[in-house]
Amino acid sequence: MASSNRSVRALVLALSSCAALLLGGCASEVSGTAVAISGATIPATTTTTPPTTPPTTDIDDGGSVDIDVEIGECVNLGGTVDEAAIANATCGSPQSNYVVFAKTPTSAECPEDADQYYYETYFDIEQGALCLDIDWQVGGCMDLVGEFAQRIDCATPGADTRRVVTILQGTSSVDDCPDPAQYGFEKDSRNFVVCVERL
């Protein structure tokens, strides 16, 4: 019986580091990459709007990854830089931390305002990529400390917890967020802003 190595790697670009995990597999190398959270955090006024979720764009340019997930569906991206793990998750659930908004042949083709991306390689050649945004839910909280965003209970905030106040479509400026104490994550390529408050 032939044996082979399977390597899973996660890289947080903000930390400029990467590592590999060797597993038994089928002569392939899978690499997952996490890109630093994009979007400015600048002061911006207090009204609330009906709950919305970020828009999804139907960008499916092909590519192949092992996980079976479609655009608009969510995943749990976790593990560590050394041992990345990705799994299907129900959007808005405690396990969900990212939503797939596009699928591309390579990670370089993901829009620059993606919060993260996950790609897989076969002998160092990229086979496909998932372009990911944080699974923001209006009224819900995410903690941004660590390698990957994590959904948490707003009643027990962590070190860098943000609660979503509203998601504004048709603008890519945090200046349009409704409260001076709030911040926003700008999505220029898709023309929306996630307005958040820091807990």
Side-chain angles (χ1 to χ4, degrees), residues 4-8 23 25-30 66 121-123:
S4 58
N5 289 328
R6 183 181 184 90
S7 174
V8 179
L23 303 170
C26 303
S28 65
E29 182 177 294
V30 178
D66 285 342
T121 62
Y122 184 72
F123 293 108

Side-chain angles (χ1 to χ4, degrees), residues 68-134:
D68 184 15
V69 63
E70 299 300 324
I71 292 170
E73 294 180 343
C74 292
V75 297
N76 178 274
L77 184 62
T80 66
V81 170
D82 297 326
E83 298 180 20
I86 190 169
N88 297 90
T90 300
C91 293
S93 71
Q95 295 77 29
S96 172
N97 56 354
Y98 294 96
V99 58
V100 177
F101 73 85
K103 298 165 82 171
T104 57
T106 66
S107 57
E109 294 168 84
C110 283
E112 291 184 3
D113 60 5
D115 290 328
Q116 307 279 358
Y117 60 81
Y118 174 86
Y119 69 85
E120 295 179 354
T121 62
Y122 184 72
F123 293 108
D124 295 326
I125 298 173
E126 286 194 42
Q127 303 298 302
L130 301 177
C131 310
L132 307 172
D133 275 341
I134 293 174

Side-chain angles (χ1 to χ4, degrees), residues 3-26:
S3 64
S4 58
N5 289 328
R6 183 181 184 90
S7 174
V8 179
R9 243 181 333 178
L11 170 65
V12 180
L13 293 185
L15 301 177
S16 299
S17 63
C18 66
L21 166 71
L22 299 178
L23 303 170
C26 303

Side-chain angles (χ1 to χ4, degrees), residues 19-64:
L21 166 71
L22 299 178
L23 303 170
C26 303
S28 65
E29 182 177 294
V30 178
S31 180
T33 301
V35 176
I37 292 169
S38 64
T41 56
I42 62 175
T45 84
T46 71
T47 58
T48 56
T49 57
T52 59
T53 56
T56 57
T57 53
D58 193 12
I59 301 172
D60 190 347
D61 291 335
S64 175

